[in-house]
Coordinates of all heavy atoms in Angstrom, one line a residue:
M1 N 11.3 -63.2 -23.0 CA 10.9 -61.9 -23.0 C 11.5 -61.1 -21.8 O 11.4 -61.7 -20.7 CB 9.3 -61.8 -23.0 CG 8.9 -60.4 -23.2 SD 7.1 -60.2 -23.0 CE 6.4 -60.8 -24.4
A2 N 12.0 -59.9 -22.0 CA 12.6 -59.2 -21.0 C 11.5 -58.6 -20.0 O 10.4 -58.3 -20.5 CB 13.4 -58.0 -21.5
P3 N 11.8 -58.6 -18.7 CA 10.8 -58.0 -17.8 C 10.6 -56.6 -18.1 O 11.5 -55.8 -18.4 CB 11.4 -58.3 -16.4 CG 12.9 -58.5 -16.7 CD 13.0 -59.0 -18.1
Q4 N 9.3 -56.1 -17.9 CA 8.9 -54.7 -18.1 C 9.3 -53.9 -16.9 O 9.1 -54.4 -15.8 CB 7.4 -54.6 -18.4 CG 6.9 -55.3 -19.6 CD 7.4 -54.5 -20.9 OE1 7.5 -53.3 -20.8 NE2 7.7 -55.3 -21.9
P5 N 9.9 -52.7 -17.1 CA 10.2 -51.9 -15.9 C 8.9 -51.5 -15.2 O 7.9 -51.2 -15.9 CB 10.9 -50.7 -16.5 CG 10.6 -50.7 -18.0 CD 10.2 -52.1 -18.3
E6 N 8.9 -51.4 -13.9 CA 7.7 -51.0 -13.2 C 7.5 -49.5 -13.4 O 8.5 -48.7 -13.4 CB 7.9 -51.3 -11.7 CG 7.8 -52.8 -11.4 CD 7.8 -53.0 -9.9 OE1 7.3 -52.2 -9.1 OE2 8.3 -54.1 -9.5
E7 N 6.3 -49.2 -13.6 CA 5.9 -47.8 -13.7 C 5.9 -47.1 -12.4 O 5.2 -47.6 -11.5 CB 4.6 -47.6 -14.4 CG 4.2 -46.2 -14.8 CD 2.9 -46.2 -15.6 OE1 2.7 -47.1 -16.5 OE2 2.2 -45.2 -15.4
T8 N 6.6 -46.0 -12.2 CA 6.6 -45.3 -10.9 C 5.5 -44.3 -10.9 O 5.5 -43.4 -11.8 CB 8.0 -44.6 -10.7 OG1 9.0 -45.6 -10.8 CG2 8.1 -44.0 -9.4
I9 N 4.7 -44.4 -10.0 CA 3.6 -43.4 -9.9 C 4.0 -42.4 -8.7 O 4.2 -42.8 -7.6 CB 2.2 -44.1 -9.6 CG1 1.9 -45.0 -10.7 CG2 1.2 -43.1 -9.3 CD1 0.7 -45.9 -10.4
T10 N 4.0 -41.2 -9.1 CA 4.4 -40.2 -8.1 C 3.1 -39.4 -7.7 O 2.3 -39.1 -8.6 CB 5.4 -39.2 -8.6 OG1 4.9 -38.6 -9.8 CG2 6.7 -39.8 -8.9
P11 N 2.9 -39.2 -6.5 CA 1.7 -38.5 -6.0 C 1.8 -37.0 -6.5 O 2.8 -36.5 -6.7 CB 1.8 -38.6 -4.5 CG 3.2 -38.8 -4.2 CD 3.8 -39.6 -5.3
E12 N 0.6 -36.4 -6.6 CA 0.6 -35.0 -7.0 C 1.2 -34.2 -5.8 O 1.0 -34.5 -4.7 CB -0.9 -34.6 -7.2 CG -1.5 -35.2 -8.5 CD -2.8 -34.6 -8.8 OE1 -3.0 -33.4 -8.5 OE2 -3.6 -35.3 -9.3
P13 N 1.8 -33.1 -6.2 CA 2.4 -32.3 -5.1 C 1.3 -31.7 -4.2 O 0.2 -31.5 -4.7 CB 3.2 -31.2 -5.9 CG 2.7 -31.2 -7.3 CD 2.1 -32.6 -7.5
A14 N 1.7 -31.5 -3.0 CA 0.7 -30.9 -2.0 C 0.3 -29.5 -2.5 O 1.1 -28.8 -3.1 CB 1.3 -30.9 -0.6
R15 N -0.9 -29.1 -2.2 CA -1.3 -27.8 -2.5 C -0.6 -26.7 -1.7 O -0.4 -26.9 -0.5 CB -2.8 -27.7 -2.3 CG -3.4 -26.4 -2.7 CD -4.9 -26.4 -2.6 NE -5.4 -25.1 -2.9 CZ -6.7 -24.8 -2.8 NH1 -7.5 -25.6 -2.3 NH2 -7.1 -23.6 -3.2
A16 N -0.1 -25.7 -2.4 CA 0.6 -24.6 -1.7 C -0.3 -23.9 -0.7 O -1.5 -23.6 -1.1 CB 1.2 -23.6 -2.7
R17 N 0.2 -23.6 0.4 CA -0.6 -22.8 1.4 C 0.0 -21.5 1.5 O 1.2 -21.3 1.4 CB -0.5 -23.5 2.8 CG -1.2 -24.9 2.7 CD -1.3 -25.5 4.1 NE 0.0 -25.6 4.7 CZ 0.3 -26.2 5.8 NH1 -0.6 -26.8 6.5 NH2 1.6 -26.3 6.2
A18 N -0.8 -20.5 1.8 CA -0.4 -19.1 2.0 C 0.6 -19.0 3.2 O 0.4 -19.6 4.2 CB -1.6 -18.2 2.2
V19 N 1.6 -18.3 3.0 CA 2.6 -18.1 4.1 C 2.2 -16.9 5.0 O 2.3 -17.0 6.2 CB 4.0 -17.8 3.5 CG1 5.0 -17.5 4.6 CG2 4.5 -19.0 2.6
F20 N 1.7 -15.9 4.4 CA 1.3 -14.7 5.1 C -0.2 -14.5 5.1 O -0.9 -14.7 4.0 CB 1.9 -13.4 4.5 CG 3.4 -13.4 4.6 CD1 4.2 -13.5 3.5 CD2 4.0 -13.2 5.9 CE1 5.6 -13.5 3.6 CE2 5.4 -13.2 6.0 CZ 6.2 -13.4 4.9
S21 N -0.8 -14.0 6.1 CA -2.2 -13.7 6.2 C -2.4 -12.3 5.8 O -1.5 -11.5 5.6 CB -2.8 -13.9 7.6 OG -2.2 -12.9 8.5
T22 N -3.7 -11.9 5.6 CA -4.0 -10.5 5.2 C -3.5 -9.6 6.3 O -3.0 -8.5 6.1 CB -5.5 -10.3 5.0 OG1 -5.9 -11.2 4.0 CG2 -5.9 -8.9 4.7
E23 N -3.6 -10.0 7.6 CA -3.2 -9.2 8.7 C -1.7 -9.0 8.7 O -1.1 -7.9 9.0 CB -3.6 -9.8 10.0 CG -3.3 -9.0 11.2 CD -4.0 -7.7 11.4 OE1 -5.1 -7.6 10.8 OE2 -3.5 -6.8 12.0
D24 N -0.9 -10.0 8.3 CA 0.5 -9.9 8.1 C 0.9 -8.9 7.1 O 1.9 -8.1 7.4 CB 1.1 -11.3 7.7 CG 1.0 -12.4 8.8 OD1 0.9 -12.0 10.0 OD2 1.0 -13.6 8.4
F25 N 0.2 -8.8 6.0 CA 0.5 -7.8 5.0 C 0.3 -6.4 5.5 O 1.1 -5.5 5.3 CB -0.3 -8.0 3.7 CG 0.2 -9.2 2.9 CD1 -0.5 -10.3 2.7 CD2 1.4 -9.1 2.2 CE1 0.0 -11.4 2.0 CE2 1.9 -10.1 1.5 CZ 1.2 -11.3 1.3
K26 N -0.8 -6.2 6.3 CA -1.0 -4.9 6.9 C 0.1 -4.5 7.9 O 0.6 -3.4 7.9 CB -2.4 -4.9 7.7 CG -3.6 -5.0 6.7 CD -4.9 -5.1 7.5 CE -6.0 -5.2 6.6 NZ -7.3 -5.4 7.4
L27 N 0.6 -5.5 8.7 CA 1.7 -5.2 9.6 C 2.9 -4.9 8.9 O 3.7 -4.0 9.2 CB 1.9 -6.4 10.6 CG 0.8 -6.7 11.6 CD1 1.0 -8.0 12.3 CD2 0.7 -5.5 12.6
L28 N 3.2 -5.7 7.8 CA 4.4 -5.4 7.0 C 4.4 -4.1 6.4 O 5.4 -3.3 6.3 CB 4.6 -6.5 6.0 CG 5.1 -7.9 6.5 CD1 4.9 -8.9 5.4 CD2 6.5 -7.8 7.0
R29 N 3.2 -3.7 5.9 CA 3.1 -2.4 5.2 C 3.3 -1.3 6.2 O 4.0 -0.3 5.9 CB 1.7 -2.3 4.6 CG 1.5 -1.1 3.6 CD 0.3 -1.3 2.8 NE 0.3 -0.4 1.7 CZ -0.6 0.7 1.6 NH1 -1.5 0.8 2.5 NH2 -0.5 1.5 0.6
T30 N 2.8 -1.4 7.4 CA 3.0 -0.4 8.5 C 4.4 -0.3 8.8 O 5.0 0.8 9.0 CB 2.1 -0.8 9.7 OG1 0.8 -0.8 9.3 CG2 2.3 0.2 10.8
A31 N 5.1 -1.4 8.9 CA 6.5 -1.4 9.3 C 7.4 -0.8 8.2 O 8.3 0.0 8.4 CB 7.0 -2.8 9.5
V32 N 7.0 -1.1 6.9 CA 7.8 -0.5 5.8 C 7.5 1.0 5.8 O 8.5 1.8 5.5 CB 7.4 -1.1 4.4 CG1 7.9 -0.4 3.3 CG2 7.8 -2.6 4.4
L33 N 6.3 1.5 6.0 CA 6.0 2.9 6.1 C 6.9 3.6 7.2 O 7.4 4.7 6.9 CB 4.5 3.2 6.3 CG 4.1 4.6 6.3 CD1 4.4 5.4 5.0 CD2 2.6 4.7 6.7
A34 N 6.9 3.0 8.3 CA 7.7 3.6 9.4 C 9.2 3.7 9.0 O 9.9 4.7 9.3 CB 7.6 2.8 10.7
Y35 N 9.7 2.6 8.4 CA 11.1 2.6 7.9 C 11.3 3.7 6.9 O 12.3 4.5 6.9 CB 11.5 1.3 7.4 CG 12.9 1.2 6.9 CD1 13.9 0.8 7.8 CD2 13.2 1.6 5.6 CE1 15.2 0.8 7.4 CE2 14.6 1.5 5.2 CZ 15.5 1.2 6.1 OH 16.9 1.1 5.7
M36 N 10.4 3.9 6.0 CA 10.5 4.9 4.9 C 10.6 6.3 5.5 O 11.4 7.1 5.1 CB 9.3 4.8 3.9 CG 9.4 3.6 3.0 SD 7.9 3.4 2.0 CE 7.3 5.0 1.6
K37 N 9.7 6.6 6.5 CA 9.7 7.9 7.1 C 11.0 8.2 7.9 O 11.5 9.3 7.9 CB 8.5 8.0 8.1 CG 7.2 8.1 7.4 CD 6.0 8.2 8.4 CE 4.7 8.4 7.6 NZ 3.6 8.5 8.6
A38 N 11.6 7.1 8.5 CA 12.8 7.3 9.2 C 14.1 7.4 8.3 O 15.1 7.9 8.7 CB 13.0 6.2 10.2
H39 N 14.0 6.9 7.1 CA 15.1 6.8 6.2 C 14.8 7.4 4.8 O 15.1 6.9 3.8 CB 15.5 5.3 6.0 CG 16.0 4.7 7.3 ND1 15.1 4.0 8.1 CD2 17.2 4.6 7.9 CE1 15.8 3.6 9.1 NE2 17.0 3.9 9.0
E40 N 14.2 8.6 4.8 CA 13.7 9.2 3.6 C 14.9 9.5 2.6 O 14.7 9.5 1.4 CB 13.0 10.5 3.9 CG 11.7 10.3 4.5 CD 11.0 11.6 4.8 OE1 11.2 12.2 5.9 OE2 10.2 12.1 4.0
D41 N 16.1 9.7 3.1 CA 17.2 10.2 2.3 C 18.0 9.0 1.8 O 19.0 9.2 1.1 CB 18.0 11.2 3.0 CG 17.2 12.5 3.3 OD1 16.3 12.8 2.6 OD2 17.5 13.1 4.4
D42 N 17.7 7.8 2.2 CA 18.5 6.6 1.8 C 18.3 6.4 0.3 O 17.3 6.7 -0.3 CB 18.0 5.3 2.5 CG 18.4 5.3 4.0 OD1 19.1 6.2 4.4 OD2 18.1 4.3 4.6
E43 N 19.4 5.9 -0.3 CA 19.4 5.6 -1.7 C 18.4 4.5 -2.1 O 17.9 4.4 -3.2 CB 20.7 5.4 -2.3 CG 21.4 4.1 -2.0 CD 22.8 3.9 -2.6 OE1 23.6 4.8 -2.4 OE2 23.0 2.9 -3.3
D44 N 18.1 3.6 -1.2 CA 17.1 2.5 -1.4 C 15.7 2.9 -1.1 O 14.8 2.1 -1.2 CB 17.5 1.3 -0.6 CG 18.7 0.6 -1.1 OD1 19.0 0.8 -2.3 OD2 19.2 -0.2 -0.3
S45 N 15.4 4.2 -0.9 CA 14.0 4.6 -0.5 C 13.0 4.3 -1.6 O 11.9 4.0 -1.3 CB 14.0 6.1 -0.2 OG 14.4 6.9 -1.3
V46 N 13.4 4.4 -2.9 CA 12.5 4.1 -4.0 C 12.1 2.6 -3.9 O 10.9 2.3 -4.1 CB 13.2 4.4 -5.3 CG1 12.3 3.9 -6.5 CG2 13.4 5.9 -5.4
K47 N 13.0 1.7 -3.6 CA 12.7 0.3 -3.5 C 11.7 0.1 -2.4 O 10.8 -0.7 -2.5 CB 14.0 -0.5 -3.2 CG 14.9 -0.5 -4.3 CD 16.2 -1.3 -4.0 CE 17.2 -1.2 -5.1 NZ 18.5 -1.9 -4.7
Y48 N 11.8 0.7 -1.2 CA 10.9 0.6 -0.1 C 9.5 1.2 -0.5 O 8.5 0.6 -0.1 CB 11.5 1.2 1.2 CG 12.5 0.3 1.8 CD1 13.9 0.6 1.6 CD2 12.2 -0.7 2.6 CE1 14.8 -0.2 2.1 CE2 13.1 -1.6 3.2 CZ 14.5 -1.3 2.9 OH 15.4 -2.1 3.5
S49 N 9.5 2.2 -1.2 CA 8.3 2.8 -1.7 C 7.5 1.9 -2.6 O 6.3 1.7 -2.4 CB 8.6 4.1 -2.4 OG 7.4 4.7 -2.9
N50 N 8.2 1.2 -3.5 CA 7.6 0.3 -4.4 C 7.1 -0.9 -3.6 O 6.0 -1.4 -3.8 CB 8.6 -0.2 -5.4 CG 9.0 0.9 -6.4 OD1 8.2 1.8 -6.6 ND2 10.1 0.7 -7.0
L51 N 7.9 -1.4 -2.6 CA 7.4 -2.5 -1.8 C 6.2 -2.1 -1.0 O 5.2 -2.9 -0.9 CB 8.5 -2.9 -0.8 CG 8.2 -3.9 0.3 CD1 7.7 -5.3 -0.4 CD2 9.4 -4.2 1.2
Y52 N 6.1 -0.9 -0.5 CA 5.0 -0.4 0.3 C 3.7 -0.5 -0.6 O 2.7 -1.0 -0.2 CB 5.2 1.0 0.7 CG 4.1 1.6 1.5 CD1 3.8 1.4 2.8 CD2 3.2 2.6 0.8 CE1 2.7 1.9 3.5 CE2 2.2 3.1 1.5 CZ 1.9 2.8 2.8 OH 0.9 3.4 3.4
H53 N 3.8 -0.1 -1.8 CA 2.7 -0.1 -2.7 C 2.3 -1.5 -3.1 O 1.1 -1.8 -3.2 CB 2.9 0.8 -3.9 CG 2.9 2.3 -3.6 ND1 1.8 3.0 -3.2 CD2 4.0 3.1 -3.5 CE1 2.2 4.2 -2.9 NE2 3.4 4.4 -3.0
R54 N 3.3 -2.4 -3.3 CA 2.9 -3.8 -3.7 C 2.2 -4.4 -2.5 O 1.3 -5.2 -2.7 CB 4.2 -4.5 -4.1 CG 4.7 -4.2 -5.4 CD 5.8 -5.2 -5.9 NE 6.9 -5.4 -5.0 CZ 8.0 -4.7 -5.0 NH1 8.2 -3.7 -5.8 NH2 9.0 -5.0 -4.1
L55 N 2.7 -4.2 -1.3 CA 2.0 -4.8 -0.1 C 0.6 -4.3 0.0 O -0.3 -5.0 0.4 CB 2.8 -4.4 1.2 CG 4.1 -5.2 1.3 CD1 4.9 -4.6 2.5 CD2 3.9 -6.7 1.6
G56 N 0.3 -3.0 -0.4 CA -1.0 -2.5 -0.3 C -2.0 -3.2 -1.3 O -3.1 -3.3 -1.0
R57 N -1.4 -3.6 -2.4 CA -2.3 -4.3 -3.4 C -2.6 -5.7 -2.9 O -3.7 -6.3 -3.3 CB -1.6 -4.4 -4.8 CG -1.5 -3.1 -5.5 CD -1.2 -3.2 -6.9 NE 0.0 -4.0 -7.1 CZ 1.2 -3.6 -7.5 NH1 1.4 -2.3 -7.7 NH2 2.3 -4.3 -7.7
L58 N -1.7 -6.3 -2.1 CA -2.0 -7.7 -1.7 C -2.9 -7.7 -0.4 O -3.6 -8.7 -0.3 CB -0.6 -8.3 -1.3 CG 0.3 -8.6 -2.5 CD1 1.7 -9.0 -2.0 CD2 -0.3 -9.5 -3.5
G59 N -2.7 -6.8 0.4 CA -3.4 -6.8 1.7 C -4.8 -6.2 1.6 O -5.8 -6.1 1.5

């Protein structure tokens, strides 16, 4: 009888941890707002506005 291949048991992946805290989101939102005010006429201003609002929902 041929030997049976050993079953490889892999551990469950580690639980994901948050990278940013609530305070970090507030700081990022403040920084994005300051950037938006200084660069109102930039063509990417809509992208920064959307980012600002998304950060507001998270923080």
Side-chain angles (χ1 to χ4, degrees):
M1 188 188 282
Q4 295 290 328
E6 289 187 31
E7 189 175 319
T8 305
I9 299 174
T10 56
E12 290 187 32
R15 186 174 176 186
R17 294 187 303 188
V19 176
F20 295 110
S21 69
T22 302
E23 185 66 23
D24 292 336
F25 284 111
K26 290 177 185 175
L27 291 170
L28 287 168
R29 192 167 193 247
T30 300
V32 170
L33 180 61
Y35 182 89
M36 286 172 36
K37 287 181 179 179
H39 299 91
E40 291 179 271
D41 298 328
D42 285 1
E43 71 181 53
D44 285 341
S45 63
V46 172
K47 294 177 185 178
Y48 284 96
S49 178
N50 292 337
L51 174 59
Y52 177 79
H53 290 289
R54 286 193 306 269
L55 288 169
R57 288 195 307 254
L58 296 172

